[in-house]
Amino acid sequence: MKIAQVSPLFESVPPKAYGGTERVVSYLTEELVRQGHDVTLFASGDSETKARLISSVEQSVRDSALDHSWMGYHLIQMDVLAAMAEEFDIIHFHTDFLQFPTAKYFSTPHVTTLHGRLDLPYLVPLYRHFDSQHLVSISDSQREPLRWANWLATVHHGIPDDLYSFNPDPGDYFLFLGRISPEKRVDRAIEIALRCDRPIFIGAKLNKAEEPYFKEFIKPLLRHPLVTYVGEVGGKDKRELLENAAALLFPIDWPEPFGLVMIESFSCGTPVVAYGHGSVPEIVEDGVTGFIVSNQEEAVRAAMHIDSISRENCRAAFERRFTAPHMAANYLEAYRRLLAT
Amino acid sequence: MKIAQVSPLFESVPPKAYGGTERVVSYLTEELVRQGHDVTLFASGDSETKARLISSVEQSVRDSALDHSWMGYHLIQMDVLAAMAEEFDIIHFHTDFLQFPTAKYFSTPHVTTLHGRLDLPYLVPLYRHFDSQHLVSISDSQREPLRWANWLATVHHGIPDDLYSFNPDPGDYFLFLGRISPEKRVDRAIEIALRCDRPIFIGAKLNKAEEPYFKEFIKPLLRHPLVTYVGEVGGKDKRELLENAAALLFPIDWPEPFGLVMIESFSCGTPVVAYGHGSVPEIVEDGVTGFIVSNQEEAVRAAMHIDSISRENCRAAFERRFTAPHMAANYLEAYRRLLAT
């Protein structure tokens, strides 16, 4: 199949550091190439891919509040794509809604995966208006605020099966991975670990906007001898932290659209203790790959009994549901369904 | 002529307070209606116009760094316009570059007035790419960083001739009107007035982002008994300040794309002392409607001799060059030129 993957330009594909959307675009693109599809990736020039790469900007850009430069580069990318649209059987956007007014003019079928949270009031008139645009959600729960929108499929994320290794014999520490922000609730993760009298490692990015929150609420908690804050981690450090953790703590307080770190954890065999918001009930099998909890009492009890979860079951669930080939197969099925209409 | 005017949605048309672009869109729209053209205004629902109003959002939105809601509403507006595009002889955008990839598909001729500064590096690849889009500059100097772009015309702004009244007999104070920001140089204006031993009134909006600058550099200057800071002014207060000023001080330090306040000043008969950056040499006739200066020595000397400028000449220059009918005539000529190609 001749497929265009259209990435945001905020990070390279794959990203050098943080950047969930561009990372998933990379996994999908490389897997489709591996399966023999003719894939063109629209992404920043510092991207690396086995697909044909079309770049409208040399370096990835960032979403700057001070100017609209990011938008300028995205509009150029869209126009470059428009000129080539007829080359493809299908065009797959990962660029939110910026393409809607333009893509209507394409004769090539196209679909947009929404990677972000959808519970923002202004999205209601937007998706009501552009109701002919086909959408893919990354979890069923993500759709909730826009249940009535033009959904084609839910496709859970997948990661390469060899990205992490299964580790049957982990350390005794718990792990928090993500951003420092009120909705990620690293404070809850620390409390759970301390009440279990277990060490906790925190690998977390701190954005400038969250520095006041960090200083007031989180920094004081880091002094405890069982708590180790290692800042933002990637690559080998992240892999080792995940593979050797006794459990990943995911005590979120927001409607997480997917939560990539949960399936990364499973791929190491590491079970997950998660609050049941957003996508969590679709990702974690309660009692099988971890525990779904609704308060700190339950979370502490779950963490104390984490050894009752089989790490083999976690890896098996990953291989059955959350690999890149699995994601690609689901997208190909959605593409075919769209082409058949 | 059947004309669509497409406004940004950041403020209503006209704006309730600050908002240069939406104010000019209003003046142009109402003047075209007055001349008997069939005008449709695309703007927020809280706009007031004698044209047909098409709104994709009830209230004007603001450019929020925290979400992309403003963009969502602009995209809906563009799509509503797209569905109606064939109704018009010409479509006139005031929405920067957001419409470029979509407007290419319109069969109706269209043109975009650029209202902002153009000396931003990312605009170079953007306007190189979208080189088939016809552009209007609001001063010749505004074009400087993008001289090679697809310019159709320069059209100076105009304001209704009865918005302000000519006052032959002003007070003895100088006036600064605008924003508090380093590039507007209210500090220079205060220095000029004090060195002339004249009172100065400062009517200026203070954005949150400029509060540190204000506190450190401007606030200490306001203590002088000759200095009166009146905050943001509009309506009657602004009119009275302008009509009764001995001179408007405009000691800018940036490439001002137009500078609406200068022609507002002329319309009262009030001369302007301005640094010669950006549009200033196109707007101020040195020695006739004020003085163009390049340093504080020259500015003080000019301000001391402001009585040598005839206020009748200022008003006459306004009536000859900067009224709304004059602006509308220039736009109509540009439209006709575009339709003839």
Side-chain angles (χ1 to χ4, degrees), chain B residues 31-264:
Chain B
E31 177 59 24
L32 290 170
V33 170
R34 201 189 60 78
Q35 292 187 18
H37 295 283
D38 181 353
V39 187
T40 301
L41 173 65
F42 292 81
S44 65
D46 49 351
S47 297
E48 286 178 35
T49 179
K50 293 200 168 113
R52 172 171 64 153
L53 178 64
I54 306 274
S55 301
S56 59
V57 59
E58 271 180 53
Q59 296 290 320
S60 57
V61 300
R62 295 226 161 221
D63 184 354
S64 163
L66 297 175
D67 66 39
H68 292 155
S69 60
W70 67 268
M71 191 164 61
Y73 291 113
H74 281 82
L75 294 180
I76 296 176
Q77 169 166 283
M78 191 149 37
D79 197 58
V80 169
L81 166 69
M84 300 170 59
E86 309 226 325
E87 289 184 27
F88 307 110
D89 298 318
I90 188 130
I91 300 169
H92 186 172
F93 290 102
H94 301 267
T95 43
D96 266 333
F97 49 76
L98 189 60
Q99 68 281 359
F100 287 172
T102 309
K104 286 180 72 164
Y105 293 93
F106 296 178
S107 55
T108 304
H110 51 275
V111 61
T112 298
T113 293
L114 298 177
H115 287 262
R117 67 191 294 176
L118 300 180
D119 57 336
L120 306 168
Y122 78 96
L123 296 179
V124 172
L126 185 75
Y127 287 96
R128 282 216 193 280
H129 180 84
F130 291 104
D131 58 358
S132 66
Q133 294 292 316
H134 297 281
L135 305 173
V136 170
S137 48
I138 59 175
S139 66
D140 289 336
S141 88
Q142 183 202 25
R143 295 183 182 190
E144 202 51 37
L146 307 173
R147 273 191 310 272
W148 38 263
N150 188 16
W151 297 108
L152 177 68
T154 286
V155 179
H156 287 148
H157 290 336
I159 62 175
D161 34 19
D162 57 355
L163 191 65
Y164 299 95
S165 300
F166 174 62
N167 179 11
D169 190 26
D172 69 338
Y173 65 87
F174 294 149
L175 178 62
F176 175 96
L177 273 184
R179 278 178 292 117
I180 300 281
S181 76
E183 72 255 27
K184 292 284 190 176
R185 294 301 299 262
V186 64
D187 57 321
R188 279 185 183 161
I190 293 171
E191 188 195 338
I192 296 165
L194 297 186
R195 284 174 63 179
C196 293
D197 202 26
R198 297 272 282 257
I200 180 166
F201 281 81
I202 298 166
K205 182 181 184 178
L206 175 60
N207 288 325
K208 205 154 184 63
E210 301 294 4
E211 274 172 18
Y213 164 76
F214 177 74
K215 273 195 188 136
E216 184 168 356
F217 296 104
I218 304 305
K219 213 173 163 191
L221 306 178
L222 303 181
R223 286 192 215 111
H224 195 285
L226 284 173
V227 179
T228 308
Y229 175 58
V230 295
E232 188 178 4
V233 289
K236 186 162 161 286
D237 293 340
K238 179 176 170 184
R239 194 171 67 237
E240 288 181 355
L241 274 175
L242 264 171
E243 288 170 357
N244 291 297
L248 178 82
L249 303 185
F250 200 66
I252 51 164
D253 212 359
W254 76 303
E256 182 81 46
F258 185 80
L260 210 46
V261 71
M262 291 189 283
I263 67 171
E264 293 179 304

Side-chain angles (χ1 to χ4, degrees), chain A residues 1-19:
Chain A
M1 206 181 288
K2 298 187 84 165
I3 305 168
Q5 294 291 338
V6 187
S7 177
L9 303 169
F10 298 123
E11 305 289 343
S12 61
V13 176
K16 309 288 181 252
Y18 199 80

Side-chain angles (χ1 to χ4, degrees), chain A residues 94-110:
Chain A
H94 301 267
T95 43
D96 265 335
F97 48 75
L98 189 61
Q99 68 281 359
F100 287 172
T102 308
K104 287 180 71 164
Y105 293 94
F106 296 178
S107 55
T108 304
H110 50 276

Side-chain angles (χ1 to χ4, degrees), chain A residues 272-313:
Chain A
V272 176
V273 176
Y275 274 58
H277 300 298
S279 63
V280 165
E282 296 170 55
I283 312 298
V284 177
E285 294 166 69
D286 190 37
V288 179
T289 58
F291 294 106
I292 299 175
V293 301
S294 57
N295 57 50
Q296 287 293 81
E297 294 308 314
E298 290 179 22
V300 170
R301 208 177 318 132
M304 281 182 169
H305 293 89
I306 201 66
D307 294 342
S308 70
I309 299 292
S310 147
R311 293 181 69 93
E312 283 76 10
N313 280 353

